[in-house]
RNA sequence: GGAGCGGUGGCAGAGUGGUCGAUUGCGGCGGCUUGCUAAGCCGUUAUACGGGUUAUACCUGUAUCUAGGGUUCGAAUCCCUACCGCUCCGCCA
């Protein structure tokens, strides 16, 4: 949710941001008009209420003085006023809902450092890391590597739940566990995050606070019977842990990391990346979330990106860092970096992490605040980033470290988590 | 799944229809005291939104006693529903 004061004072600024972000659902003019109407209606309603409150107080006094007849006449007056208030309130409520609906569709404003462009073509590569490996043979795509090793069984995954629900077998499954444990250990032991184990199913207010609702409703799995959503990312439960709370200022910043299964319908992506595990409906991810003071939140974003990059570097995977343009970044974000890892088998970069500063946008929706030194209550800034999403890291690992004989030699850092094994060989 | 009980301010805990936004204690904040001293005394203590001054402060109004409905001139207080928590039973990884 954007700052209503910002909209009232500088509607042009908001209008420009909306246009830069290419949010066609957002109607700034309408939001402003409804807001003005709502305020007018509210003032009127409150004035009426004030009159009625005064009448009601008088009734109380009259009753105590045993002036029943007089009280009755005031009662009648109050009752009549009550009818008027009821109508005025209904109108105010209607306008408020309309206003909220209009505001909900207005995205967060992009930071001034974000390149203005219509789409992904305007993204800017800010860094590149690693040497591209050269192969003495033609590198296979991960689905072939995984199938030959017997560690990735896509047909049997489909049998159970449909396409997009991969099944990892043997060393493949163990690799998943190893990655999760290793990544979380690095975040907890070296980067100062406190780990969480969270619900992977969440209610509407939770989804609303992080901005999944209303825009991405069609993207999520929904459990009709209970009115609950399967989370598309651990960002959702983690960001919501302090929803409707006022945190003591001296406990900020708070860093949290959580591993979770993530569910995405990928509704708009039919036909894209249908092979392999680049785009799946269920996957695992380690997420980092920060709750910080507004001052310096963009510095926190740089450090967050660094935390994710550390992992790719230690895995020895080639990657690039993109600063997303206004047209490509998400609804709630003020600034986003994507980390794209190189996958030599499929011959392209894959998004393995997305790190964003949401400024106070999520905090306002979720009512996540802190008390500053002066005792004032203020909204926190929230940030989050993947660190990292498993499937695409696995794709990069299998494709980058495949050998001519079909085996895969894994990076040093993972070996303690793989029982000391360095190489995955075909299962007989 | 069955039965019962409960949800009040940062916390604890009063309050069963009208001067209750809510006694009191703790905590916090400000001040005083500095020979009753690992203390005492005094004061203060929420949030959201509207309006007045559309930067703050401040003033004022409305709302908020889990949430949403209802009864009533008037509800923290009565009724209904939902959610959450606790206890017992059943079931179960």
């Amino acid at each position: 949710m954007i700052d209503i004061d910002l909209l009232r004072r500088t509607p042009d600024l908001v209008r420009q941001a909306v246009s830069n972000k290419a949010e066609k659902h957002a109607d700034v003019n309408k939001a402003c008009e409804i807001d003005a109407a709502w305020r007018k209606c509210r003032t009127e309603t409150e004035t009426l209420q004030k009159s009625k409150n005064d009448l009601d107080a008088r009734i109380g006094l009259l009753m105590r003085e045993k002036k029943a007849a007089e009280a009755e006449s005031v009662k009648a007056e109050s009752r009549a006023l009550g009818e008027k208030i009821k109508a005025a309130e209904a109108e105010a409520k209607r306008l408020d809902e309309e206003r909220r609906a209009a505001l909900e569709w207005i995205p967060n404003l992009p930071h001034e450092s974000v390149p203005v462009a219509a789409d992904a073509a305007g993204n800017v590569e800010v860094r590149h890391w690693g040497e591209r490996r050269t192969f003495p043979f033609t590198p296979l795509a991960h689905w072939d590597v995984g199938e030959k090793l017997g560690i990735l069984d896509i047909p049997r995954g489909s049998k159970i739940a449909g396409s997009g629900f991969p099944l990892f077998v043997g060393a493949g499954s163990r690799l998943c566990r190893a990655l999760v444990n290793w990544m979380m250990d690095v975040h907890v032991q070296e980067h100062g995050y406190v780990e969480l184990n969270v619900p992977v199913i969440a209610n509407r207010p939770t989804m609303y606070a992080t901005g999944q609702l209303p825009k991405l409703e069609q993207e999520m799995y929904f459990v009709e019977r209970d009115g609950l959503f399967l989370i598309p990312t651990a960002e959702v439960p983690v960001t919501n842990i302090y929803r409707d709370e006022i945190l003591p200022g001296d406990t900020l910043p708070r860093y949290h990391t959580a591993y979770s299964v993530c569910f995405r319908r990928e509704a708009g992506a039919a036909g894209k990346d249908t092979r392999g595990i680049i785009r799946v409906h269920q996957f695992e991810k380690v997420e980092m979330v920060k709750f910080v003071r507004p001052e310096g939140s963009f510095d926190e974003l740089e450090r967050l990106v660094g935390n994710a990059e550390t992992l790719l570097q230690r895995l020895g995977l080639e990657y690039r860092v993109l600063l997303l343009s206004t047209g490509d970044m998400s609804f709630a974000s003020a600034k986003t970096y994507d980390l794209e890892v190189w996958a030599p088998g499929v011959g392209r970069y894959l998004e393995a992490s997305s790190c964003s500063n949401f400024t106070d946008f999520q905090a306002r929706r979720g009512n996540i605040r802190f008390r500053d030194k002066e005792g004032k209550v203020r909204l926190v800034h929230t940030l989050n980033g993947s660190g990292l999403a498993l499937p695409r890291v696995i794709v990069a690992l299998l494709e980058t470290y495949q050998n001519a004989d079909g085996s895969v030699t894994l990076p040093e850092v993972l070996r303690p988590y793989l029982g000391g094994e360095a190489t995955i060989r075909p299962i007989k």
Side-chain angles (χ1 to χ4, degrees):
Chain A
M1 183 79 80
I2 63 148
D3 184 355
I4 186 75
D5 283 328
L6 197 69
L7 181 66
R8 285 171 188 164
R9 281 199 214 104
T10 55
D12 290 338
L13 197 78
V14 177
R15 209 171 283 131
Q16 185 60 51
V18 166
S19 137
N20 288 345
K21 265 201 162 180
E23 284 295 339
K24 42 185 185 293
H25 288 292
D27 190 337
V28 176
N29 293 335
K30 191 177 166 204
C32 288
E33 282 167 24
I34 295 169
D35 178 52
W38 171 76
R39 283 197 284 176
K40 184 160 172 282
C41 183
R42 190 185 164 104
T43 306
E44 290 166 4
T45 307
E46 285 181 357
T47 308
L48 290 174
Q49 186 63 55
K50 167 68 175 159
S51 313
K52 181 166 160 60
N53 285 351
D54 291 344
L55 287 182
D56 293 343
R58 256 179 64 204
I59 294 170
L61 285 174
L62 291 170
M63 297 294 273
R64 208 161 306 130
E65 294 167 14
K66 310 281 185 209
K67 297 177 181 169
E70 200 173 335
E72 281 308 317
S73 88
V74 182
K75 271 190 193 180
E77 204 179 328
S78 180
R79 205 175 296 138
L81 195 50
E83 292 301 313
K84 282 175 75 176
I85 291 171
K86 220 170 183 179
E89 265 177 353
E91 175 68 0
K93 191 176 176 188
R94 188 185 66 76
L95 285 168
D96 190 33
E97 275 164 12
E98 231 179 283
R99 182 179 81 125
R100 189 173 185 84
L103 287 174
E104 271 175 9
W105 289 97
I106 295 176
N108 198 2
L109 275 48
H111 188 251
E112 57 191 13
S113 62
V114 173
V116 176
D119 52 38
N123 295 346
V124 175
E125 181 176 321
V126 294
R127 273 194 294 287
H128 178 274
W129 187 93
E131 297 284 311
R132 184 154 306 182
R133 185 187 165 191
T134 53
F135 292 84
F137 56 93
T138 306
L140 299 175
H142 63 279
W143 51 82
D144 288 328
V145 178
E147 191 187 330
K148 285 186 174 162
L149 288 171
I151 61 172
L152 178 60
D153 191 338
I154 287 172
R156 287 201 175 105
S158 300
K159 177 161 68 179
I160 295 159
S163 71
F165 293 91
L167 171 68
F168 291 95
V169 180
S173 173
R174 186 163 199 185
L175 177 59
C176 292
R177 286 194 289 128
L179 281 166
V180 167
N181 284 330
W182 169 67
M183 293 192 291
M184 288 194 72
D185 283 351
V186 171
H187 293 320
V188 170
Q189 290 163 15
E190 300 179 37
H191 298 155
Y193 291 78
V194 174
E195 71 173 278
L196 303 171
N197 194 301
V198 295
V200 298
I201 204 161
N203 54 26
R204 271 181 186 280
T206 300
M207 287 298 174
Y208 175 80
T210 33
Q212 270 71 33
L213 292 179
K215 194 182 169 183
L216 301 175
E217 177 141 18
Q218 297 310 310
E219 273 295 303
M220 294 188 288
Y221 287 96
F222 181 58
V223 183
E224 182 98 39
R225 190 167 169 185
D226 302 292
L228 297 168
F229 295 87
L230 272 57
I231 60 168
T233 162
E235 164 197 346
V236 171
V238 176
T239 304
N240 272 279
I241 60 179
Y242 301 125
R243 179 155 51 87
D244 294 320
E245 290 189 32
I246 298 172
L247 303 168
D250 57 13
T251 64
L252 295 180
R254 293 190 189 214
Y255 297 171
H256 287 294
T257 183
Y259 142 81
S260 87
V261 180
C262 305
F263 301 92
R264 300 187 182 179
R265 294 175 57 89
E266 300 292 344
K272 278 190 202 166
D273 301 318
T274 49
R275 291 200 74 179
I277 57 170
I278 291 172
R279 188 180 297 274
V280 285
H281 292 310
Q282 176 185 327
F283 62 96
E284 296 173 284
K285 182 161 63 61
V286 172
E287 186 75 5
M288 302 173 281
V289 177
K290 291 185 172 190
F291 301 85
V292 306
R293 294 164 186 282
E295 301 79 23
S297 67
F298 286 92
D299 295 331
E300 290 278 7
L301 176 62
E302 298 302 321
R303 285 195 284 277
L304 181 71
V305 175
N307 295 153
E309 285 187 67
T310 298
L311 300 175
L312 290 174
Q313 290 172 9
R314 292 191 196 174
L315 291 173
L317 295 172
E318 179 197 344
Y319 70 89
R320 63 181 184 184
V321 181
L322 298 181
L323 172 57
L324 298 194
S325 73
T326 53
D328 198 31
M329 62 199 294
S330 73
F331 182 74
S333 173
K335 186 172 184 176
T336 299
Y337 289 104
D338 274 7
L339 266 51
E340 295 193 336
V341 65
W342 178 253
V346 294
R348 50 184 269 224
Y349 280 103
L350 305 174
E351 180 188 330
S353 176
S354 188
C355 302
S356 302
N357 181 2
F358 300 97
T359 60
D360 59 12
F361 193 83
Q362 291 181 331
R364 186 172 294 106
R365 290 188 160 213
N367 204 24
I368 309 167
R369 297 169 296 174
F370 74 100
R371 200 176 293 279
D372 68 14
K373 279 201 179 75
E374 290 76 46
K376 262 196 81 171
V377 175
R378 303 170 63 196
L379 293 165
V380 302
H381 278 197
T382 59
L383 301 91
N384 71 56
S386 348
L388 302 156
L390 257 60
R392 292 174 186 175
V393 171
I394 291 171
V395 167
L397 287 170
L398 295 182
E399 297 189 359
T400 302
Y401 294 119
Q402 59 182 297
N403 302 312
D405 65 357
S407 65
V408 171
T409 307
L410 291 163
E412 200 81 46
V413 289
L414 291 178
R415 293 177 196 171
Y417 293 86
L418 295 165
E421 288 295 322
T423 305
I424 303 177
R425 297 180 196 289
I427 297 172
K428 290 280 158 60

